[in-house]
Amino acid sequence: EISLRIGDLQECNNEQIHLSGAVQGHGALMMFSADERIQAISKNVAAVLDLGQRNILGAKLSHVLPEEFVQNILALQKQHPWRSKGMYLTTPIGKSKFDVYMFSSGNYFGLEFEPLRESAEFFESQNVLQDFMAEVKEARTVVDLTSVACRYIRQVAGIDRVMMYRFLPPSWHGEVIAEDRVMGSHSFLYHRFPSSDIPKPARDLYLRNKVRLITDSQGHISAIEPKENPETGKVWDLSDSRLRSVSPIHIEYLKNMGVAGSMSFAVIVKGSLWGLIACHSSKPFTMTNAHRAICCAIADVVSSQATLMEDLEGHLLRSSFDARLRKIIEMTLISKDILGGLLKQHALLMETFNATGVAICNAQTQDISGLVPAGSLLKDLYAKIIDEMKKTEKEVFAINSLTTIMPDIASKLKMACGVLAVRIHDKEDSLLMIFRPEQVRMITWGGDPVKSLEKKNFSGQINPRASFESWQEKIENQSIPWSSHELDGVSFMKEVLFDSALVKKGAIDMLTE
Ligand code: BLA
């Protein structure tokens, strides 16, 4: 859909972000085995937990951590089936209290410790979920729903900006569809961002680990030692970790955006990543696990409600399309001459397919209605499409920009940028062609997407773009694309009207079932 050439994605897709070998330095990590022995640590563990000088690698957990806490986590492990799910706990160690997150990595377990800022705010935010649910009930559209979610997450997190970033498959570019931000800050609402900003490995990880918190993009990191999982001999898999250190490219990206703390929650619809609730803080930022859990719950509500709303929107759209299509078929079947009868339905055809022109052509004749290319152009287009259909052995042809098949004349055909054609067998090589006019659109990108990925000449190092200033792209010579139900609809119509195996009555019965 997008006319711009956008970076070499492969370069971004190669980074194995789950094997970063380090954690964010404000917290610390311990990996332990089933025999409760500590098998790996982040180098800062003694400093963060105030453990003094002793070497804890190989030690039993209960020699390092409070006995009661160790009993607790061992009991939890037995109670809960471990897959990739993590678990929250808190524990006092020495003078401080810690938020602890437990996850698994192969046959080992990871404990991540983050200093806990005691906060009374948590109790205030207890009501947040109730209030949020009350507002969600009133939301009628996906934009309403996600705007409410952004507002509540910003309230819980107390940060500068929260956005609903929605992916646009199959390109996987994305768009900010809702936003809540502190007054006076830059807005990214309705801005589009290229897929290379969040490469496939990062997107895939969100299906497994739905939260990502980057406390300080410019903060230090702490390496894990030993580097490898002793059982596999491979670098520790941190897919389910919450403290995993951040990809250097993304660190630079955040710096260029003026973001210190970043947090994102996955919104998953029908098993596929639908969007991210993305949060920005201009200062380093952290949040208790309890607050994170509230934000996760809000994101989960968005996931389930967005599924329902999209199903409903899709259903309504489809049922009104189907009703019109049925009427076209019924009206056409009344007439003895199916071809002529179909063309008589030109107004309804245009309304149903959101089009402005219809033609039924073969090599000799052209029956037209509405805005269609003039005689010889239509003839050329007809020949091109028949050719294309023969090559691809397909009966339906759809395009939303003629530039791809007729580059020389496409700019003259503004009234017929999009064509949906179906081969009808009544006469040899007859085509029903439905035309849509050009729809000029402006897309606002968050920075020039062509610069989304720059390579330094000498080192070959990849860099994200430096500027996120709004950048306008004008999309010309394109119509609104044909939807999958329109493609299905047109081939269904062809089958019913023109495939000899279907007798008229049978077809009508099928439709009215
Ligand atoms: C990760 N990129 C991300 C994440 C977001 C974005 C939300 C998830 C981590 C986080 O929450 O910060 C992108 N952030 C955005 C976008 C907006 C936003 C689009 O706020 C819009 C408002 N990044 C690049 C290039 C590469 C790249 C060129 O620009 C690769 C070559 C990589 N982005 C990249 C990687 C990650 C990432 C590797 C994962 C970081 C990690 O989890 O370690």
Side-chain angles (χ1 to χ4, degrees), residues 161 179 181-189 191 468-470:
R161 189 192 295 125
E179 178 186 60
R181 67 194 156 90
V182 74
M183 285 238 295
S185 65
H186 182 74
S187 171
F188 286 118
L189 190 59
H191 283 59
F468 291 90
E469 280 295 307
S470 303

Side-chain angles (χ1 to χ4, degrees), residues 245-286:
S245 64
V246 185
S247 152
I249 296 174
H250 189 52
I251 292 278
E252 195 179 336
Y253 183 94
L254 291 173
K255 189 171 128 203
N256 296 352
M257 236 185 198
V259 172
S262 171
M263 179 169 65
S264 40
F265 301 92
V267 173
I268 293 165
V269 169
K270 295 195 180 122
S272 139
L273 187 63
W274 184 90
L276 290 176
I277 301 181
C279 313
H280 290 168
S281 165
S282 57
K283 293 196 262 330
F285 160 79
T286 180

Side-chain angles (χ1 to χ4, degrees), residues 348-420:
L348 195 52
L349 268 169
M350 287 187 239
E351 190 188 319
T352 308
F353 286 90
N354 202 356
T356 47
V358 181
I360 291 178
C361 302
N362 62 26
Q364 286 79 41
T365 63
Q366 301 178 339
D367 287 311
I368 60 168
S369 173
L371 292 172
V372 297
S376 66
L377 285 179
L378 185 59
K379 207 169 174 178
D380 289 350
L381 181 60
Y382 162 85
K384 262 269 186 305
I385 294 176
I386 284 286
D387 221 38
E388 204 65 35
M389 283 177 163
K390 285 186 176 157
K391 253 191 260 161
T392 54
E393 293 180 17
K394 290 204 170 116
E395 304 275 288
V396 175
F397 173 91
I399 201 163
N400 69 331
S401 172
L402 277 184
T403 38
T404 39
I405 57 163
M406 300 177 88
D408 312 334
I409 56 157
S411 60
K412 289 186 217 141
L413 290 177
K414 301 274 185 195
M415 90 294 250
C417 278
V419 187
L420 172 62

Side-chain angles (χ1 to χ4, degrees), residues 138-431:
E138 303 299 315
R140 289 288 166 268
T141 64
V142 169
V143 170
D144 285 352
L145 166 74
T146 52
S147 303
V148 172
C150 288
R151 183 153 44 78
Y152 275 89
I153 288 190
R154 198 163 88 80
Q155 194 181 321
V156 176
I159 47 175
D160 307 335
R161 189 192 295 125
V162 178
M163 295 165 288
M164 181 69 240
Y165 184 74
R166 175 162 190 188
F167 289 107
L168 303 164
S171 69
W172 291 96
H173 303 321
E175 197 169 44
V176 176
I177 62 164
E179 178 186 60
D180 191 60
R181 67 194 156 90
V182 74
M183 285 238 295
S185 65
H186 182 74
S187 171
F188 286 118
L189 190 59
Y190 309 131
H191 283 59
R192 194 170 288 202
F193 295 82
S195 58
S196 53
D197 283 19
I198 315 174
K200 191 168 188 302
R203 290 199 305 268
D204 286 349
L205 207 49
Y206 278 102
L207 293 177
R208 177 166 172 176
N209 190 349
K210 292 197 273 185
V211 187
R212 180 78 171 125
L213 188 99
I214 299 168
T215 290
D216 181 3
S217 62
Q218 306 311 306
H220 59 284
I221 62 170
S222 184
I224 301 170
E225 59 178 19
K227 268 193 185 133
E228 286 96 17
N229 173 332
E231 205 174 63
T232 60
K234 293 193 179 130
V235 175
W236 290 103
D237 182 339
L238 299 181
S239 295
D240 296 313
S241 141
R242 293 248 163 127
L243 266 189
R244 176 173 58 80
S245 64
V246 185
S247 152
I249 296 174
H250 189 52
I251 292 278
E252 195 179 336
Y253 183 94
L254 291 173
K255 189 171 128 203
N256 296 352
M257 236 185 198
V259 172
S262 171
M263 179 169 65
S264 40
F265 301 92
V267 173
I268 293 165
V269 169
K270 295 195 180 122
S272 139
L273 187 63
W274 184 90
L276 290 176
I277 301 181
C279 313
H280 290 168
S281 165
S282 57
K283 293 196 262 330
F285 160 79
T286 180
M287 206 182 186
T288 64
N289 278 335
H291 282 78
R292 262 178 244 187
I294 295 177
C295 295
C296 284
I298 292 178
D300 281 346
V301 170
V302 172
S303 294
S304 59
Q305 286 297 106
T307 309
L308 291 176
M309 282 179 173
E310 290 209 321
D311 280 356
L312 189 67
E313 276 168 26
H315 180 76
L316 290 178
L317 214 69
R318 197 156 185 144
S319 59
S320 79
F321 173 84
D322 284 352
R324 289 193 178 120
L325 194 73
R326 189 176 305 148
K327 195 158 172 211
I328 296 173
I329 295 174
E330 284 169 1
M331 301 294 279
T332 305
L333 285 173
I334 292 169
S335 127
K336 283 207 183 77
D337 159 28
I338 299 278
L339 268 182
L342 184 60
L343 201 65
K344 266 196 214 135
Q345 299 309 317
H346 57 93
L348 195 52
L349 268 169
M350 287 187 239
E351 190 188 319
T352 308
F353 286 90
N354 202 356
T356 47
V358 181
I360 291 178
C361 302
N362 62 26
Q364 286 79 41
T365 63
Q366 301 178 339
D367 287 311
I368 60 168
S369 173
L371 292 172
V372 297
S376 66
L377 285 179
L378 185 59
K379 207 169 174 178
D380 289 350
L381 181 60
Y382 162 85
K384 262 269 186 305
I385 294 176
I386 284 286
D387 221 38
E388 204 65 35
M389 283 177 163
K390 285 186 176 157
K391 253 191 260 161
T392 54
E393 293 180 17
K394 290 204 170 116
E395 304 275 288
V396 175
F397 173 91
I399 201 163
N400 69 331
S401 172
L402 277 184
T403 38
T404 39
I405 57 163
M406 300 177 88
D408 312 334
I409 56 157
S411 60
K412 289 186 217 141
L413 290 177
K414 301 274 185 195
M415 90 294 250
C417 278
V419 187
L420 172 62
V422 59
R423 196 148 133 193
I424 43 188
H425 285 291
D426 190 44
K427 282 191 196 146
E428 182 74 6
D429 282 348
S430 288
L431 284 188

